[in-house]
Amino acid sequence: MQIHTLDKAGIINELQFGAGINHAVHAGRRADFSLILSMFSDDVRDNTPVEKIDEPEITDQTLRKRFELQSPQQLRSDQSSYDISAAQAHAFHHGGMASAKLNHYLVPETLTYLPEETHDLPEEVYHNLSGHLRRQLIETKPKNLLPADLYNQLVVAQRSFQISAQA
């Protein structure tokens, strides 16, 4: 019964004992001192006040918005990247290399120009595919597979037809 009351006491440090630990040291009562120390919590989180710190989520987008940066350079081409490339070529022909560099730094050009609508396949591979494979690449909805118990369904349907035909 007394053990359970000591467990519920939740003794964390020496401040909860008051002068008891001090008297045990000065009186030379090693057993009392050892008992008091053994009742302290060994979890450092009990001894140290811990507060939850709410850190704001820092993402690439929030940093770009905070420092007023433009969007990152695209990795793959799309329809808008051809206009950007044409504008840079126009700046190069009319203003030289410095104008083209400035235009690139303001609106960066994409890194690679890959063929479009080839489902991330190289163009020569995509054009070598059969029409059936190209159609399968276009279809986004998966086909319904045959049910696992198709044979049982067919047998039950045949037997029920035979019973209804005889009746």
Side-chain angles (χ1 to χ4, degrees), residues 73-98:
Q73 186 174 10
Q74 289 183 344
L75 299 177
R76 296 189 57 166
S77 62
D78 57 1
Q79 286 298 322
S80 66
S81 58
Y82 294 107
D83 296 333
I84 295 170
S85 178
Q88 287 184 1
H90 183 271
F92 174 73
H93 287 295
H94 290 356
M97 184 62 104

mmCIF file with all atom_site columns, all heavy atoms in Angstrom, residues 73-98:
data_model
loop_
_atom_site.group_PDB
_atom_site.id
_atom_site.type_symbol
_atom_site.label_atom_id
_atom_site.label_alt_id
_atom_site.label_comp_id
_atom_site.label_asym_id
_atom_site.label_entity_id
_atom_site.label_seq_id
_atom_site.pdbx_PDB_ins_code
_atom_site.Cartn_x
_atom_site.Cartn_y
_atom_site.Cartn_z
_atom_site.occupancy
_atom_site.B_iso_or_equiv
_atom_site.pdbx_formal_charge
_atom_site.auth_seq_id
_atom_site.auth_comp_id
_atom_site.auth_asym_id
_atom_site.auth_atom_id
_atom_site.pdbx_PDB_model_num
ATOM 1   N N   . GLN A 1 73 ? 13.363 27.359 -62.325 1.00 0.00 ? 73 GLN A N   1
ATOM 2   C CA  . GLN A 1 73 ? 13.542 27.022 -63.733 1.00 0.00 ? 73 GLN A CA  1
ATOM 3   C C   . GLN A 1 73 ? 12.887 25.672 -64.010 1.00 0.00 ? 73 GLN A C   1
ATOM 4   O O   . GLN A 1 73 ? 13.079 24.707 -63.263 1.00 0.00 ? 73 GLN A O   1
ATOM 5   C CB  . GLN A 1 73 ? 15.028 26.963 -64.074 1.00 0.00 ? 73 GLN A CB  1
ATOM 6   C CG  . GLN A 1 73 ? 15.326 26.767 -65.527 1.00 0.00 ? 73 GLN A CG  1
ATOM 7   C CD  . GLN A 1 73 ? 16.811 26.862 -65.821 1.00 0.00 ? 73 GLN A CD  1
ATOM 8   O OE1 . GLN A 1 73 ? 17.625 26.898 -64.917 1.00 0.00 ? 73 GLN A OE1 1
ATOM 9   N NE2 . GLN A 1 73 ? 17.147 26.880 -67.091 1.00 0.00 ? 73 GLN A NE2 1
ATOM 10  N N   . GLN A 1 74 ? 12.104 25.611 -65.071 1.00 0.00 ? 74 GLN A N   1
ATOM 11  C CA  . GLN A 1 74 ? 11.425 24.374 -65.425 1.00 0.00 ? 74 GLN A CA  1
ATOM 12  C C   . GLN A 1 74 ? 12.425 23.345 -65.912 1.00 0.00 ? 74 GLN A C   1
ATOM 13  O O   . GLN A 1 74 ? 13.424 23.680 -66.547 1.00 0.00 ? 74 GLN A O   1
ATOM 14  C CB  . GLN A 1 74 ? 10.398 24.624 -66.525 1.00 0.00 ? 74 GLN A CB  1
ATOM 15  C CG  . GLN A 1 74 ? 9.187  25.386 -66.084 1.00 0.00 ? 74 GLN A CG  1
ATOM 16  C CD  . GLN A 1 74 ? 8.198  25.520 -67.239 1.00 0.00 ? 74 GLN A CD  1
ATOM 17  O OE1 . GLN A 1 74 ? 8.536  25.318 -68.392 1.00 0.00 ? 74 GLN A OE1 1
ATOM 18  N NE2 . GLN A 1 74 ? 6.975  25.868 -66.910 1.00 0.00 ? 74 GLN A NE2 1
ATOM 19  N N   . LEU A 1 75 ? 12.128 22.090 -65.629 1.00 0.00 ? 75 LEU A N   1
ATOM 20  C CA  . LEU A 1 75 ? 13.001 21.020 -66.078 1.00 0.00 ? 75 LEU A CA  1
ATOM 21  C C   . LEU A 1 75 ? 12.609 20.508 -67.461 1.00 0.00 ? 75 LEU A C   1
ATOM 22  O O   . LEU A 1 75 ? 13.456 20.133 -68.253 1.00 0.00 ? 75 LEU A O   1
ATOM 23  C CB  . LEU A 1 75 ? 12.970 19.864 -65.077 1.00 0.00 ? 75 LEU A CB  1
ATOM 24  C CG  . LEU A 1 75 ? 13.433 20.208 -63.666 1.00 0.00 ? 75 LEU A CG  1
ATOM 25  C CD1 . LEU A 1 75 ? 13.291 19.007 -62.758 1.00 0.00 ? 75 LEU A CD1 1
ATOM 26  C CD2 . LEU A 1 75 ? 14.868 20.690 -63.687 1.00 0.00 ? 75 LEU A CD2 1
ATOM 27  N N   . ARG A 1 76 ? 11.288 20.489 -67.727 1.00 0.00 ? 76 ARG A N   1
ATOM 28  C CA  . ARG A 1 76 ? 10.787 19.977 -69.003 1.00 0.00 ? 76 ARG A CA  1
ATOM 29  C C   . ARG A 1 76 ? 10.051 21.070 -69.746 1.00 0.00 ? 76 ARG A C   1
ATOM 30  O O   . ARG A 1 76 ? 9.484  21.969 -69.153 1.00 0.00 ? 76 ARG A O   1
ATOM 31  C CB  . ARG A 1 76 ? 9.824  18.827 -68.764 1.00 0.00 ? 76 ARG A CB  1
ATOM 32  C CG  . ARG A 1 76 ? 10.459 17.619 -68.134 1.00 0.00 ? 76 ARG A CG  1
ATOM 33  C CD  . ARG A 1 76 ? 9.500  16.509 -68.138 1.00 0.00 ? 76 ARG A CD  1
ATOM 34  N NE  . ARG A 1 76 ? 9.074  16.271 -69.513 1.00 0.00 ? 76 ARG A NE  1
ATOM 35  C CZ  . ARG A 1 76 ? 8.441  15.199 -69.912 1.00 0.00 ? 76 ARG A CZ  1
ATOM 36  N NH1 . ARG A 1 76 ? 8.147  14.280 -69.052 1.00 0.00 ? 76 ARG A NH1 1
ATOM 37  N NH2 . ARG A 1 76 ? 8.089  15.058 -71.163 1.00 0.00 ? 76 ARG A NH2 1
ATOM 38  N N   . SER A 1 77 ? 10.016 20.939 -71.047 1.00 0.00 ? 77 SER A N   1
ATOM 39  C CA  . SER A 1 77 ? 9.353  21.941 -71.871 1.00 0.00 ? 77 SER A CA  1
ATOM 40  C C   . SER A 1 77 ? 7.851  21.718 -71.892 1.00 0.00 ? 77 SER A C   1
ATOM 41  O O   . SER A 1 77 ? 7.365  20.606 -71.719 1.00 0.00 ? 77 SER A O   1
ATOM 42  C CB  . SER A 1 77 ? 9.900  21.873 -73.293 1.00 0.00 ? 77 SER A CB  1
ATOM 43  O OG  . SER A 1 77 ? 9.621  20.603 -73.853 1.00 0.00 ? 77 SER A OG  1
ATOM 44  N N   . ASP A 1 78 ? 7.125  22.817 -72.087 1.00 0.00 ? 78 ASP A N   1
ATOM 45  C CA  . ASP A 1 78 ? 5.695  22.780 -72.360 1.00 0.00 ? 78 ASP A CA  1
ATOM 46  C C   . ASP A 1 78 ? 5.437  23.830 -73.437 1.00 0.00 ? 78 ASP A C   1
ATOM 47  O O   . ASP A 1 78 ? 6.376  24.369 -74.026 1.00 0.00 ? 78 ASP A O   1
ATOM 48  C CB  . ASP A 1 78 ? 4.862  23.012 -71.090 1.00 0.00 ? 78 ASP A CB  1
ATOM 49  C CG  . ASP A 1 78 ? 5.186  24.316 -70.411 1.00 0.00 ? 78 ASP A CG  1
ATOM 50  O OD1 . ASP A 1 78 ? 6.030  25.066 -70.918 1.00 0.00 ? 78 ASP A OD1 1
ATOM 51  O OD2 . ASP A 1 78 ? 4.582  24.601 -69.364 1.00 0.00 ? 78 ASP A OD2 1
ATOM 52  N N   . GLN A 1 79 ? 4.181  24.133 -73.704 1.00 0.00 ? 79 GLN A N   1
ATOM 53  C CA  . GLN A 1 79 ? 3.884  25.063 -74.798 1.00 0.00 ? 79 GLN A CA  1
ATOM 54  C C   . GLN A 1 79 ? 4.415  26.469 -74.532 1.00 0.00 ? 79 GLN A C   1
ATOM 55  O O   . GLN A 1 79 ? 4.842  27.163 -75.451 1.00 0.00 ? 79 GLN A O   1
ATOM 56  C CB  . GLN A 1 79 ? 2.371  25.107 -75.038 1.00 0.00 ? 79 GLN A CB  1
ATOM 57  C CG  . GLN A 1 79 ? 1.833  23.870 -75.722 1.00 0.00 ? 79 GLN A CG  1
ATOM 58  C CD  . GLN A 1 79 ? 2.432  23.682 -77.104 1.00 0.00 ? 79 GLN A CD  1
ATOM 59  O OE1 . GLN A 1 79 ? 2.652  24.633 -77.838 1.00 0.00 ? 79 GLN A OE1 1
ATOM 60  N NE2 . GLN A 1 79 ? 2.702  22.423 -77.453 1.00 0.00 ? 79 GLN A NE2 1
ATOM 61  N N   . SER A 1 80 ? 4.426  26.903 -73.270 1.00 0.00 ? 80 SER A N   1
ATOM 62  C CA  . SER A 1 80 ? 4.897  28.259 -72.973 1.00 0.00 ? 80 SER A CA  1
ATOM 63  C C   . SER A 1 80 ? 6.414  28.388 -73.115 1.00 0.00 ? 80 SER A C   1
ATOM 64  O O   . SER A 1 80 ? 6.924  29.485 -73.314 1.00 0.00 ? 80 SER A O   1
ATOM 65  C CB  . SER A 1 80 ? 4.473  28.657 -71.554 1.00 0.00 ? 80 SER A CB  1
ATOM 66  O OG  . SER A 1 80 ? 5.123  27.848 -70.597 1.00 0.00 ? 80 SER A OG  1
ATOM 67  N N   . SER A 1 81 ? 7.148  27.300 -73.008 1.00 0.00 ? 81 SER A N   1
ATOM 68  C CA  . SER A 1 81 ? 8.603  27.383 -73.079 1.00 0.00 ? 81 SER A CA  1
ATOM 69  C C   . SER A 1 81 ? 9.085  27.747 -74.489 1.00 0.00 ? 81 SER A C   1
ATOM 70  O O   . SER A 1 81 ? 10.165 28.315 -74.640 1.00 0.00 ? 81 SER A O   1
ATOM 71  C CB  . SER A 1 81 ? 9.238  26.077 -72.609 1.00 0.00 ? 81 SER A CB  1
ATOM 72  O OG  . SER A 1 81 ? 8.782  25.005 -73.388 1.00 0.00 ? 81 SER A OG  1
ATOM 73  N N   . TYR A 1 82 ? 8.303  27.451 -75.508 1.00 0.00 ? 82 TYR A N   1
ATOM 74  C CA  . TYR A 1 82 ? 8.706  27.825 -76.863 1.00 0.00 ? 82 TYR A CA  1
ATOM 75  C C   . TYR A 1 82 ? 8.632  29.340 -77.044 1.00 0.00 ? 82 TYR A C   1
ATOM 76  O O   . TYR A 1 82 ? 9.457  29.929 -77.742 1.00 0.00 ? 82 TYR A O   1
ATOM 77  C CB  . TYR A 1 82 ? 7.846  27.105 -77.897 1.00 0.00 ? 82 TYR A CB  1
ATOM 78  C CG  . TYR A 1 82 ? 8.071  25.610 -77.888 1.00 0.00 ? 82 TYR A CG  1
ATOM 79  C CD1 . TYR A 1 82 ? 7.124  24.744 -77.371 1.00 0.00 ? 82 TYR A CD1 1
ATOM 80  C CD2 . TYR A 1 82 ? 9.251  25.075 -78.387 1.00 0.00 ? 82 TYR A CD2 1
ATOM 81  C CE1 . TYR A 1 82 ? 7.340  23.383 -77.351 1.00 0.00 ? 82 TYR A CE1 1
ATOM 82  C CE2 . TYR A 1 82 ? 9.478  23.704 -78.380 1.00 0.00 ? 82 TYR A CE2 1
ATOM 83  C CZ  . TYR A 1 82 ? 8.517  22.865 -77.852 1.00 0.00 ? 82 TYR A CZ  1
ATOM 84  O OH  . TYR A 1 82 ? 8.747  21.515 -77.833 1.00 0.00 ? 82 TYR A OH  1
ATOM 85  N N   . ASP A 1 83 ? 7.644  29.981 -76.422 1.00 0.00 ? 83 ASP A N   1
ATOM 86  C CA  . ASP A 1 83 ? 7.561  31.446 -76.481 1.00 0.00 ? 83 ASP A CA  1
ATOM 87  C C   . ASP A 1 83 ? 8.741  32.092 -75.759 1.00 0.00 ? 83 ASP A C   1
ATOM 88  O O   . ASP A 1 83 ? 9.294  33.094 -76.221 1.00 0.00 ? 83 ASP A O   1
ATOM 89  C CB  . ASP A 1 83 ? 6.240  31.924 -75.875 1.00 0.00 ? 83 ASP A CB  1
ATOM 90  C CG  . ASP A 1 83 ? 5.037  31.439 -76.671 1.00 0.00 ? 83 ASP A CG  1
ATOM 91  O OD1 . ASP A 1 83 ? 5.188  31.204 -77.885 1.00 0.00 ? 83 ASP A OD1 1
ATOM 92  O OD2 . ASP A 1 83 ? 3.955  31.305 -76.057 1.00 0.00 ? 83 ASP A OD2 1
ATOM 93  N N   . ILE A 1 84 ? 9.121  31.519 -74.619 1.00 0.00 ? 84 ILE A N   1
ATOM 94  C CA  . ILE A 1 84 ? 10.258 32.049 -73.864 1.00 0.00 ? 84 ILE A CA  1
ATOM 95  C C   . ILE A 1 84 ? 11.539 31.911 -74.679 1.00 0.00 ? 84 ILE A C   1
ATOM 96  O O   . ILE A 1 84 ? 12.362 32.834 -74.742 1.00 0.00 ? 84 ILE A O   1
ATOM 97  C CB  . ILE A 1 84 ? 10.376 31.318 -72.508 1.00 0.00 ? 84 ILE A CB  1
ATOM 98  C CG1 . ILE A 1 84 ? 9.157  31.626 -71.626 1.00 0.00 ? 84 ILE A CG1 1
ATOM 99  C CG2 . ILE A 1 84 ? 11.658 31.690 -71.786 1.00 0.00 ? 84 ILE A CG2 1
ATOM 100 C CD1 . ILE A 1 84 ? 9.068  30.764 -70.390 1.00 0.00 ? 84 ILE A CD1 1
ATOM 101 N N   . SER A 1 85 ? 11.702 30.771 -75.326 1.00 0.00 ? 85 SER A N   1
ATOM 102 C CA  . SER A 1 85 ? 12.891 30.547 -76.144 1.00 0.00 ? 85 SER A CA  1
ATOM 103 C C   . SER A 1 85 ? 12.935 31.505 -77.330 1.00 0.00 ? 85 SER A C   1
ATOM 104 O O   . SER A 1 85 ? 14.004 32.030 -77.680 1.00 0.00 ? 85 SER A O   1
ATOM 105 C CB  . SER A 1 85 ? 12.906 29.102 -76.634 1.00 0.00 ? 85 SER A CB  1
ATOM 106 O OG  . SER A 1 85 ? 14.011 28.872 -77.452 1.00 0.00 ? 85 SER A OG  1
ATOM 107 N N   . ALA A 1 86 ? 11.782 31.750 -77.932 1.00 0.00 ? 86 ALA A N   1
ATOM 108 C CA  . ALA A 1 86 ? 11.735 32.690 -79.057 1.00 0.00 ? 86 ALA A CA  1
ATOM 109 C C   . ALA A 1 86 ? 12.073 34.101 -78.599 1.00 0.00 ? 86 ALA A C   1
ATOM 110 O O   . ALA A 1 86 ? 12.771 34.850 -79.301 1.00 0.00 ? 86 ALA A O   1
ATOM 111 C CB  . ALA A 1 86 ? 10.354 32.655 -79.706 1.00 0.00 ? 86 ALA A CB  1
ATOM 112 N N   . ALA A 1 87 ? 11.601 34.496 -77.399 1.00 0.00 ? 87 ALA A N   1
ATOM 113 C CA  . ALA A 1 87 ? 11.913 35.830 -76.878 1.00 0.00 ? 87 ALA A CA  1
ATOM 114 C C   . ALA A 1 87 ? 13.408 35.965 -76.597 1.00 0.00 ? 87 ALA A C   1
ATOM 115 O O   . ALA A 1 87 ? 14.007 37.027 -76.840 1.00 0.00 ? 87 ALA A O   1
ATOM 116 C CB  . ALA A 1 87 ? 11.098 36.091 -75.617 1.00 0.00 ? 87 ALA A CB  1
ATOM 117 N N   . GLN A 1 88 ? 14.031 34.910 -76.099 1.00 0.00 ? 88 GLN A N   1
ATOM 118 C CA  . GLN A 1 88 ? 15.467 34.966 -75.842 1.00 0.00 ? 88 GLN A CA  1
ATOM 119 C C   . GLN A 1 88 ? 16.261 35.026 -77.141 1.00 0.00 ? 88 GLN A C   1
ATOM 120 O O   . GLN A 1 88 ? 17.274 35.719 -77.226 1.00 0.00 ? 88 GLN A O   1
ATOM 121 C CB  . GLN A 1 88 ? 15.896 33.777 -74.993 1.00 0.00 ? 88 GLN A CB  1
ATOM 122 C CG  . GLN A 1 88 ? 15.440 33.905 -73.562 1.00 0.00 ? 88 GLN A CG  1
ATOM 123 C CD  . GLN A 1 88 ? 15.949 32.780 -72.691 1.00 0.00 ? 88 GLN A CD  1
ATOM 124 O OE1 . GLN A 1 88 ? 16.654 31.901 -73.142 1.00 0.00 ? 88 GLN A OE1 1
ATOM 125 N NE2 . GLN A 1 88 ? 15.566 32.831 -71.430 1.00 0.00 ? 88 GLN A NE2 1
ATOM 126 N N   . ALA A 1 89 ? 15.823 34.298 -78.147 1.00 0.00 ? 89 ALA A N   1
ATOM 127 C CA  . ALA A 1 89 ? 16.508 34.365 -79.439 1.00 0.00 ? 89 ALA A CA  1
ATOM 128 C C   . ALA A 1 89 ? 16.368 35.755 -80.051 1.00 0.00 ? 89 ALA A C   1
ATOM 129 O O   . ALA A 1 89 ? 17.334 36.299 -80.608 1.00 0.00 ? 89 ALA A O   1
ATOM 130 C CB  . ALA A 1 89 ? 15.931 33.312 -80.387 1.00 0.00 ? 89 ALA A CB  1
ATOM 131 N N   . HIS A 1 90 ? 15.194 36.345 -79.900 1.00 0.00 ? 90 HIS A N   1
ATOM 132 C CA  . HIS A 1 90 ? 14.974 37.700 -80.407 1.00 0.00 ? 90 HIS A CA  1
ATOM 133 C C   . HIS A 1 90 ? 15.874 38.696 -79.667 1.00 0.00 ? 90 HIS A C   1
ATOM 134 O O   . HIS A 1 90 ? 16.468 39.599 -80.282 1.00 0.00 ? 90 HIS A O   1
ATOM 135 C CB  . HIS A 1 90 ? 13.495 38.074 -80.238 1.00 0.00 ? 90 HIS A CB  1
ATOM 136 C CG  . HIS A 1 90 ? 13.160 39.415 -80.794 1.00 0.00 ? 90 HIS A CG  1
ATOM 137 N ND1 . HIS A 1 90 ? 13.257 40.568 -80.042 1.00 0.00 ? 90 HIS A ND1 1
ATOM 138 C CD2 . HIS A 1 90 ? 12.745 39.792 -82.034 1.00 0.00 ? 90 HIS A CD2 1
ATOM 139 C CE1 . HIS A 1 90 ? 12.907 41.595 -80.784 1.00 0.00 ? 90 HIS A CE1 1
ATOM 140 N NE2 . HIS A 1 90 ? 12.586 41.155 -82.006 1.00 0.00 ? 90 HIS A NE2 1
ATOM 141 N N   . ALA A 1 91 ? 15.994 38.535 -78.331 1.00 0.00 ? 91 ALA A N   1
ATOM 142 C CA  . ALA A 1 91 ? 16.855 39.427 -77.551 1.00 0.00 ? 91 ALA A CA  1
ATOM 143 C C   . ALA A 1 91 ? 18.320 39.261 -77.955 1.00 0.00 ? 91 ALA A C   1
ATOM 144 O O   . ALA A 1 91 ? 19.072 40.240 -77.989 1.00 0.00 ? 91 ALA A O   1
ATOM 145 C CB  . ALA A 1 91 ? 16.678 39.136 -76.056 1.00 0.00 ? 91 ALA A CB  1
ATOM 146 N N   . PHE A 1 92 ? 18.729 38.032 -78.277 1.00 0.00 ? 92 PHE A N   1
ATOM 147 C CA  . PHE A 1 92 ? 20.115 37.807 -78.689 1.00 0.00 ? 92 PHE A CA  1
ATOM 148 C C   . PHE A 1 92 ? 20.403 38.473 -80.040 1.00 0.00 ? 92 PHE A C   1
ATOM 149 O O   . PHE A 1 92 ? 21.448 39.095 -80.217 1.00 0.00 ? 92 PHE A O   1
ATOM 150 C CB  . PHE A 1 92 ? 20.398 36.300 -78.769 1.00 0.00 ? 92 PHE A CB  1
ATOM 151 C CG  . PHE A 1 92 ? 21.752 35.977 -79.313 1.00 0.00 ? 92 PHE A CG  1
ATOM 152 C CD1 . PHE A 1 92 ? 22.893 36.196 -78.553 1.00 0.00 ? 92 PHE A CD1 1
ATOM 153 C CD2 . PHE A 1 92 ? 21.902 35.470 -80.590 1.00 0.00 ? 92 PHE A CD2 1
ATOM 154 C CE1 . PHE A 1 92 ? 24.152 35.913 -79.049 1.00 0.00 ? 92 PHE A CE1 1
ATOM 155 C CE2 . PHE A 1 92 ? 23.160 35.179 -81.101 1.00 0.00 ? 92 PHE A CE2 1
ATOM 156 C CZ  . PHE A 1 92 ? 24.281 35.399 -80.321 1.00 0.00 ? 92 PHE A CZ  1
ATOM 157 N N   . HIS A 1 93 ? 19.482 38.349 -80.967 1.00 0.00 ? 93 HIS A N   1
ATOM 158 C CA  . HIS A 1 93 ? 19.719 38.906 -82.304 1.00 0.00 ? 93 HIS A CA  1
ATOM 159 C C   . HIS A 1 93 ? 19.674 40.429 -82.308 1.00 0.00 ? 93 HIS A C   1
ATOM 160 O O   . HIS A 1 93 ? 20.358 41.064 -83.115 1.00 0.00 ? 93 HIS A O   1
ATOM 161 C CB  . HIS A 1 93 ? 18.719 38.336 -83.304 1.00 0.00 ? 93 HIS A CB  1
ATOM 162 C CG  . HIS A 1 93 ? 18.976 36.909 -83.661 1.00 0.00 ? 93 HIS A CG  1
ATOM 163 N ND1 . HIS A 1 93 ? 20.110 36.490 -84.325 1.00 0.00 ? 93 HIS A ND1 1
ATOM 164 C CD2 . HIS A 1 93 ? 18.260 35.794 -83.416 1.00 0.00 ? 93 HIS A CD2 1
ATOM 165 C CE1 . HIS A 1 93 ? 20.078 35.186 -84.486 1.00 0.00 ? 93 HIS A CE1 1
ATOM 166 N NE2 . HIS A 1 93 ? 18.966 34.722 -83.942 1.00 0.00 ? 93 HIS A NE2 1
ATOM 167 N N   . HIS A 1 94 ? 18.892 41.029 -81.435 1.00 0.00 ? 94 HIS A N   1
ATOM 168 C CA  . HIS A 1 94 ? 18.779 42.483 -81.434 1.00 0.00 ? 94 HIS A CA  1
ATOM 169 C C   . HIS A 1 94 ? 19.661 43.168 -80.391 1.00 0.00 ? 94 HIS A C   1
ATOM 170 O O   . HIS A 1 94 ? 20.035 44.317 -80.585 1.00 0.00 ? 94 HIS A O   1
ATOM 171 C CB  . HIS A 1 94 ? 17.331 42.912 -81.222 1.00 0.00 ? 94 HIS A CB  1
ATOM 172 C CG  . HIS A 1 94 ? 16.442 42.613 -82.385 1.00 0.00 ? 94 HIS A CG  1
ATOM 173 N ND1 . HIS A 1 94 ? 16.881 42.077 -83.573 1.00 0.00 ? 94 HIS A ND1 1
ATOM 174 C CD2 . HIS A 1 94 ? 15.115 42.794 -82.552 1.00 0.00 ? 94 HIS A CD2 1
ATOM 175 C CE1 . HIS A 1 94 ? 15.879 41.925 -84.404 1.00 0.00 ? 94 HIS A CE1 1
ATOM 176 N NE2 . HIS A 1 94 ? 14.773 42.347 -83.811 1.00 0.00 ? 94 HIS A NE2 1
ATOM 177 N N   . GLY A 1 95 ? 20.020 42.472 -79.309 1.00 0.00 ? 95 GLY A N   1
ATOM 178 C CA  . GLY A 1 95 ? 20.781 43.130 -78.257 1.00 0.00 ? 95 GLY A CA  1
ATOM 179 C C   . GLY A 1 95 ? 22.088 42.466 -77.912 1.00 0.00 ? 95 GLY A C   1
ATOM 180 O O   . GLY A 1 95 ? 22.825 42.942 -77.053 1.00 0.00 ? 95 GLY A O   1
ATOM 181 N N   . GLY A 1 96 ? 22.367 41.322 -78.480 1.00 0.00 ? 96 GLY A N   1
ATOM 182 C CA  . GLY A 1 96 ? 23.625 40.653 -78.214 1.00 0.00 ? 96 GLY A CA  1
ATOM 183 C C   . GLY A 1 96 ? 23.528 39.692 -77.034 1.00 0.00 ? 96 GLY A C   1
ATOM 184 O O   . GLY A 1 96 ? 22.458 39.395 -76.500 1.00 0.00 ? 96 GLY A O   1
ATOM 185 N N   . MET A 1 97 ? 24.709 39.216 -76.637 1.00 0.00 ? 97 MET A N   1
ATOM 186 C CA  . MET A 1 97 ? 24.794 38.213 -75.572 1.00 0.00 ? 97 MET A CA  1
ATOM 187 C C   . MET A 1 97 ? 24.335 38.767 -74.226 1.00 0.00 ? 97 MET A C   1
ATOM 188 O O   . MET A 1 97 ? 23.687 38.060 -73.458 1.00 0.00 ? 97 MET A O   1
ATOM 189 C CB  . MET A 1 97 ? 26.224 37.695 -75.460 1.00 0.00 ? 97 MET A CB  1
ATOM 190 C CG  . MET A 1 97 ? 26.372 36.589 -74.449 1.00 0.00 ? 97 MET A CG  1
ATOM 191 S SD  . MET A 1 97 ? 25.387 35.169 -74.889 1.00 0.00 ? 97 MET A SD  1
ATOM 192 C CE  . MET A 1 97 ? 26.631 34.097 -75.483 1.00 0.00 ? 97 MET A CE  1
ATOM 193 N N   . ALA A 1 98 ? 24.645 40.026 -73.930 1.00 0.00 ? 98 ALA A N   1
ATOM 194 C CA  . ALA A 1 98 ? 24.247 40.608 -72.642 1.00 0.00 ? 98 ALA A CA  1
ATOM 195 C C   . ALA A 1 98 ? 22.728 40.672 -72.524 1.00 0.00 ? 98 ALA A C   1
ATOM 196 O O   . ALA A 1 98 ? 22.162 40.368 -71.464 1.00 0.00 ? 98 ALA A O   1
ATOM 197 C CB  . ALA A 1 98 ? 24.848 42.000 -72.487 1.00 0.00 ? 98 ALA A CB  1
#
